[in-house]
Amino acid sequence: MEFILLFSVSLISFFCGLIIFWGHKISIARSISYFLFLLSIWQMDIAFLYAEDFLSKPTIEILFRIFRFGQIMIMPLLYSIAYSIFKTGIANKNMKKHYKLFYNKWIFYFVVLFSLIVYFVNFTNTGVTGLYRIQEYSSFPAHYIPAYGALNITFYVNIILVFVHSFFLLFICQKISDRKIKKFFRSLVFASLFIFVNGILSGFLVLPLFFSILNTVFASIVLFAAYFMLQNTTIAKINQELEEERSFLEIILNINPNYIYVKDGDDKLAIVNDSLAKLCHKSPDEIIGVKENIFNKDFLLLEEEYHLNQTVINSNGELRTVEWQFFPIYFKGNHNHTLGLGTDTTQRKRDEEMLVKSENLRVLGEMAAGIAHEIRNPLTSIKGFIQLLDQSVSDSNEKFYLSIISNEIDRINEVVGELLFIAKPQASIQTWQNVNMTKVIQDVKMLLEPTAMLIQASIEIQAVDNQLKTSAIEEKQVKQVLINIFKNSLEAVSKGGRIRIKSEKIQENRIRIRVIDNGGGIKRSVLEKLGEPFYTTKERGTGLGLTVCFKIIRENHGDILIRSKEGLGTIVDIILPV
């Protein structure tokens, strides 16, 4: 009965060692597993001394000699643990210089060889001569104890070395900077000392032999608890580091200006960065979990699946061009997630378009300058000859005809001047004369009224201040802008249409000319592009009229604001400084 109990208790260390051995592959875990395995073998060795009811005496003697391996080999294992701490640099790195004499592989080979010699001597009569039986009495059940030979002194030396290596291990533990690891190895040293002190007292029958079973229970509990406390601390530290890394990666993900999301195997969005959430005017939590096709349709307002380039509508209703790329994410050999990376190319495309248009405008300017030069040369000659003819003729009718020709030549010169303005608009000279805006508006109305009458439209002037003046712009330039604006309004209204012009002072130093028509209005997509060079909706338009108007007003520190709604009409505000 005692044998079954003692053998069963000895298995506690064995199973604790197995749990640690299978659960962790690191060197510390393996060392503790080996220590518990050797402790279990040692306790089985003692259990066999109580097995007379189950085994014969010769069998018990053989098993005792074999299982004595456990208590003999604990000594080199303790040195091996100390040497591993020294070699791996867990302790103070300066130790490698000062204590290399005590911790090296040759000493390790020596202690292993010595323990193997002790174990070999154990199988000879000079080590263990035999077993003799102790009779049962109240405190001691009947059991066998070994009788030792002359060379069993090697076993005693082995035990002394256990204490020496335990103190070596305790010394090197003091050099470990990590408190948790230091505490763990201290537990191992104290458990080892307790086991051997208790084993010596039991071996010399100061205490009953079966008291040594306390070695198994105590050591297993202490080492198992110490190891898992160390593991829990390590796991907590790793989790904290992982959480910090995750927070760091989230910061990087969210400050990235690109649009990033990750979808899982069910096409649901698992990760969304702040840039994409802002594009949709939503929080990331509102988007996560939404299926990709629903996200495209409801959040990005797309009707089709993604291609390399897509135009999406952001939270402000602005069209954005986004270039998408998709990358499969392989994790543990499986492709369950996909990374979507969107780059906003709106501004880049606008810059490219403006670059092309600017180049076109530059080429057109060079052509216009050349054409203007070629036209003005013959016009100068024609003008000169007409003036000579005017001086030589006396007939009033002829003089009248010559004056008409001269006026038309002047008109051609003005058109050529506009071509030069396109070529070099900065060449216009500011005369800084007061311009009566009310008079300018009336002149432009008179000029275009015949055109309005052809389509049965009306032009009305609603001047709040009849003496509205500015010296910020030339009269010719104002007329050029107003003619372009009025002509566009006349082309927009239908039969019976109405155009109203309202001029007023809106601030102490600013005036506003407002042109209102009840035409068909302008689409929003067209409205955003008005003023861009060569952009026009007219069949024979050049796309330069409004470009010149914007350029004239803005170069004179003013602004043009255009508002329109389809089916209701358009309002154009020309704002100029006084």
Side-chain angles (χ1 to χ4, degrees), residues 27-28 80-97 99 103 172-178 181-182 185:
S27 58
I28 294 176
S80 171
I81 294 173
Y83 177 57
S84 296
I85 295 173
F86 173 79
K87 186 178 178 182
T88 55
I90 297 176
N92 192 331
K93 293 182 179 179
N94 292 327
M95 287 189 64
K96 288 194 174 183
K97 277 193 277 184
Y99 299 99
Y103 301 100
I172 202 170
C173 284
Q174 304 306 312
K175 307 297 181 180
I176 297 175
S177 56
D178 191 309
I181 297 178
K182 181 190 292 187
F185 281 114

Side-chain angles (χ1 to χ4, degrees), residues 42-324:
W42 180 5
Q43 299 310 309
M44 290 178 187
D45 185 48
I46 294 173
F48 284 125
L49 296 177
Y50 289 84
E52 64 177 344
D53 292 339
F54 300 92
L55 301 171
S56 64
K57 182 179 178 181
T59 304
I60 293 173
E61 184 177 339
I62 293 172
L63 291 174
F64 174 77
R65 294 174 187 269
I66 294 173
F67 280 79
R68 213 176 175 203
F69 178 84
Q71 56 185 315
I72 293 173
M73 298 308 294
I74 282 180
M75 185 272 291
L77 178 63
L78 290 173
Y79 182 85
S80 171
I81 294 173
Y83 177 57
S84 296
I85 295 173
F86 173 79
K87 186 178 178 182
T88 55
I90 297 176
N92 192 331
K93 293 182 179 179
N94 292 327
M95 287 189 64
K96 288 194 174 183
K97 277 193 277 184
H98 301 100
Y99 299 99
K100 193 173 181 180
L101 183 64
F102 300 100
Y103 301 100
N104 58 68
K105 62 181 180 180
W106 299 111
I107 295 179
F108 172 68
Y109 294 152
F110 172 76
V111 295
V112 171
L113 179 63
F114 180 79
S115 294
L116 290 175
I117 291 172
V118 173
Y119 185 60
F120 176 75
V121 169
N122 164 70
F123 285 93
T124 66
N125 289 332
T126 57
V128 177
T129 58
L131 301 176
Y132 64 91
R133 189 173 184 276
I134 293 182
Q135 298 298 323
E136 179 180 2
Y137 57 93
S138 59
S139 300
F140 293 84
H143 62 87
Y144 291 104
I145 61 170
Y148 299 113
L151 289 181
N152 192 57
I153 191 172
T154 56
F155 177 75
Y156 298 141
V157 172
N158 195 79
I159 292 175
I160 293 171
L161 288 175
V162 167
F163 288 98
V164 171
H165 294 327
S166 295
F167 286 111
F168 272 178
L169 182 58
L170 185 62
F171 170 76
I172 202 170
C173 284
Q174 304 306 312
K175 307 297 181 180
I176 297 175
S177 56
D178 191 309
R179 287 177 52 205
K180 299 297 181 182
I181 297 178
K182 181 190 292 187
K183 186 176 179 181
F184 168 74
F185 281 114
R186 279 179 181 172
S187 301
L188 175 63
V189 170
F190 292 137
S192 173
L193 292 174
F194 173 82
I195 290 167
F196 276 90
V197 169
N198 188 33
I200 291 171
L201 295 175
S202 301
F204 288 98
L205 300 181
V206 176
L207 295 173
L209 186 61
F210 61 83
F211 268 34
S212 64
I213 203 66
L214 292 174
N215 297 347
T216 300
V217 178
F218 174 78
S220 299
I221 292 173
V222 169
L223 293 179
F224 203 71
Y227 183 75
F228 275 93
M229 285 176 65
L230 176 64
Q231 287 300 107
N232 288 337
T233 304
T234 305
I235 291 170
K237 185 178 179 181
I238 292 172
N239 287 338
Q240 183 180 356
E241 290 174 354
L242 289 174
E243 187 63 32
E244 290 173 356
E245 287 181 6
R246 179 180 177 182
S247 300
F248 181 70
L249 291 174
E250 283 182 356
I251 291 171
I252 294 175
L253 181 72
N254 288 324
I255 65 174
N256 195 318
N258 293 323
Y259 309 127
I260 301 173
Y261 71 82
V262 175
K263 67 175 182 178
D264 58 21
D266 297 326
D267 281 343
K268 290 183 178 180
L269 272 61
I271 299 174
V272 175
N273 76 334
D274 286 350
S275 297
L276 184 57
K278 287 177 183 176
L279 180 72
C280 305
H281 200 53
K282 301 286 183 182
S283 68
D285 292 337
E286 292 178 275
I287 302 175
I288 291 174
V290 176
K291 286 211 166 189
E292 187 184 31
N293 58 343
I294 298 174
F295 169 72
N296 294 343
K297 186 176 179 182
D298 295 350
F299 291 86
L300 297 182
L301 304 181
L302 293 175
E303 296 295 335
E304 300 177 356
E305 293 295 321
Y306 275 125
H307 301 291
L308 284 180
N309 289 282
Q310 281 289 346
T311 301
V312 301
I313 301 177
N314 72 358
S315 58
N316 298 322
E318 182 183 2
L319 292 175
R320 312 293 299 177
T321 303
V322 181
E323 186 176 288
W324 288 97

